[in-house]
Amino acid sequence: MSKHVTEPALAVDVRELLQKPGAHKHVVVRAPLDDLATPVASVPPDRPVTVDAEIESVVEGVLVTGTVSTTALVSCVRCLRQFDQELEVPVRELFALGPGEDEDEGYAVLPDDRLPLDTMARDALVLGFPAFPLHRPDCAGLCPVCGADRNTVDCGHGGSETIDPRWAGLAGLTLPEGFGEPQGGAPMNKEEDDARPQA
Ligand SMILES: [Zn+2]
Ligand SMILES: [Zn+2]
């Protein structure tokens, strides 16, 4: 999943740490990242991503331990409503010194001694996106008959039982308000109303 990025948005100079195992520093870097979207969640370009991490020099390279955080825009899987969700994903990744034999085989320190954090941050956030987001735990979802948002509208199509698509059209027919209830007192002007139209 690591893709080559020419100019990382999230980069940290680690020159003073290299070749000094045990040396470390704390960094907080913040920048927007592009290409951060899945079918259920995304991080729009106007929302920065923050990497807050301790960077430690080790024999094999540089160890990054901390969190990647942002505010994702998430779609409720039941009602499709979009809502914000704070994400804070823990990370602990080794950046090797110099490119490995296979470039896709993990993270590496750049030749100019900078640590490119974009791919790590992107990978962490995508894994941290909720798999089954609900805008609230008891979201009532959309009506399978008419598509109404059941959180805001009572369309009268009953519970969540599955409706045979062959009867979906009939289910869409609604009875008038008060149908079947006893008529309380109002006289029925049956005779007059039934007057036949003049031929
Ligand atoms: Zn919902
Ligand atoms: Zn409905």
Side-chain angles (χ1 to χ4, degrees):
M1 186 112 179
S2 105
K3 102 181 168 189
H4 189 70
V5 178
T6 342
E7 190 45 50
L10 296 166
V12 177
D13 191 332
V14 291
R15 186 162 306 165
E16 79 267 29
L17 300 181
L18 297 180
Q19 319 299 346
K20 290 180 201 152
H24 55 91
K25 70 171 177 181
H26 189 176
V27 298
V28 178
V29 281
R30 193 172 165 85
L33 290 180
D34 53 11
D35 292 338
L36 205 44
T38 70
V40 293
S42 66
V43 180
D46 60 331
R47 297 183 177 184
V49 170
T50 303
V51 178
D52 183 327
E54 190 71 17
I55 299 181
E56 185 186 356
S57 183
V58 295
V59 176
E60 306 92 327
V62 176
L63 190 61
V64 177
T65 309
T67 57
V68 181
S69 55
T70 193
T71 305
L73 187 61
V74 176
S75 300
C76 176
V77 291
R78 286 194 195 145
C79 73
L80 310 179
R81 185 177 314 204
Q82 292 199 307
F83 61 101
D84 287 349
Q85 183 157 331
E86 302 288 332
L87 293 179
E88 188 176 272
V89 185
V91 285
R92 185 174 172 83
E93 298 290 348
L94 178 71
F95 284 70
L97 290 174
E101 287 170 14
D102 179 358
E103 268 197 27
D104 285 337
E105 205 181 83
Y107 310 118
V109 180
L110 294 175
D112 65 1
D113 298 338
R114 284 186 310 155
L115 212 49
L117 299 174
D118 294 25
T119 306
M120 178 198 77
R122 207 178 265 118
D123 291 352
L125 290 175
V126 168
L127 285 174
F129 282 163
F132 192 75
L134 292 173
H135 85 279
R136 60 167 206 241
D138 61 343
C139 172
L142 300 179
C143 173
V145 177
C146 70
D149 183 347
R150 287 171 154 170
N151 298 294
T152 55
V153 179
D154 180 6
C155 62
H157 290 136
S160 56
E161 70 269 16
T162 321
I163 292 168
D164 187 320
R166 286 172 296 179
W167 305 111
L170 287 178
L173 298 172
T174 49
L175 296 171
E177 195 89 21
F179 182 88
E181 287 169 8
Q183 303 289 322
M188 311 268 281
N189 301 322
K190 237 357 193 173
E191 264 94 29
E192 283 127 77
D193 286 351
D194 277 352
R196 291 178 188 181
Q198 304 289 329

